[in-house]
Amino acid sequence: PLRATPTNGTARRFRPRQRLATEAEFDQVFRDGRRSADRYFTVLYRPNATGHARLGFALSRQRVRLAVHRNRLRRLARESFRQADPALPPVDIVILARDAAAGATNPDITASLARHWDKLRAQFARPPGDT
C-alpha cells in the first residue's frame, strides 16, 4: 500500500501532545484568551506552560451545517497548524469557524489561518508590557 508520509522518521505529524484534550483546557482559553478574528475564523489563544503550541476546535453545527464541511475545516486547520507549529510560541489555541468558512475555498482557508499564525507570532515576539 502507498503511504502519504515517509516512514523514515522525518514525517511531522499532528501528535496528541499538540491537542487540547480536556474541558478545563478549553475553558481556560475561552475565559482568559485573546482573540484574533477575520471573515472565516475566530482564533482564541492564551500562553501555556507546556513549552509548545496546542490546538483545539469548537466548530458548531449552527455555523457550519454539514459534517463534511466541519471535517474539512478541521483537516485544513490541523495541517496548517502542523506546518506552522515549530515557529509558534507556547500557546493554547481554539479555532471557531464563522459563517463564511463553510463555503470558502481551501486556499482561502489556508491563507486565513496563515495570517492568524503570523499575528500570533508577532504578538509574542513583542517585548513584555508592549501591547
Side-chain angles (χ1 to χ4, degrees):
L2 295 176
R3 292 185 169 238
T5 58
T7 57
N8 63 3
T10 60
R12 292 201 28 86
R13 296 174 41 204
F14 186 67
R15 301 201 177 274
R17 72 179 193 96
Q18 296 172 295
R19 297 180 176 132
L20 290 179
T22 67
E23 184 178 348
E25 292 169 345
F26 277 87
D27 287 345
Q28 283 183 327
V29 177
F30 281 110
R31 187 178 53 250
D32 303 327
R34 293 182 176 185
R35 182 178 311 263
S36 171
D38 67 6
R39 182 176 176 199
Y40 302 116
F41 298 103
T42 297
V43 176
L44 304 175
Y45 58 94
R46 72 179 289 276
N48 69 36
T50 64
H52 60 274
R54 299 186 302 175
L55 180 66
F57 297 96
L59 303 180
S60 73
R61 203 173 9 195
Q62 285 75 27
R63 297 280 181 216
V64 184
R65 295 293 299 164
L66 298 178
V68 66
H69 292 181
R70 290 191 302 277
N71 292 337
R72 178 178 67 101
L73 293 174
R74 278 190 205 96
R75 197 169 45 252
L76 289 167
R78 275 194 304 267
E79 178 61 15
S80 176
F81 174 82
R82 184 189 66 77
Q83 290 177 357
D85 181 45
L88 290 175
V91 291
D92 289 340
I93 302 166
V94 175
I95 294 180
L96 298 97
R98 301 185 77 171
D99 293 338
T105 66
N106 290 359
D108 287 343
I109 290 168
T110 303
S112 169
L113 291 167
R115 286 189 297 272
H116 287 292
W117 307 147
D118 289 344
K119 183 176 179 181
L120 250 169
R121 282 189 289 268
Q123 179 75 33
F124 286 90
R126 293 183 184 152
D130 185 21
T131 54

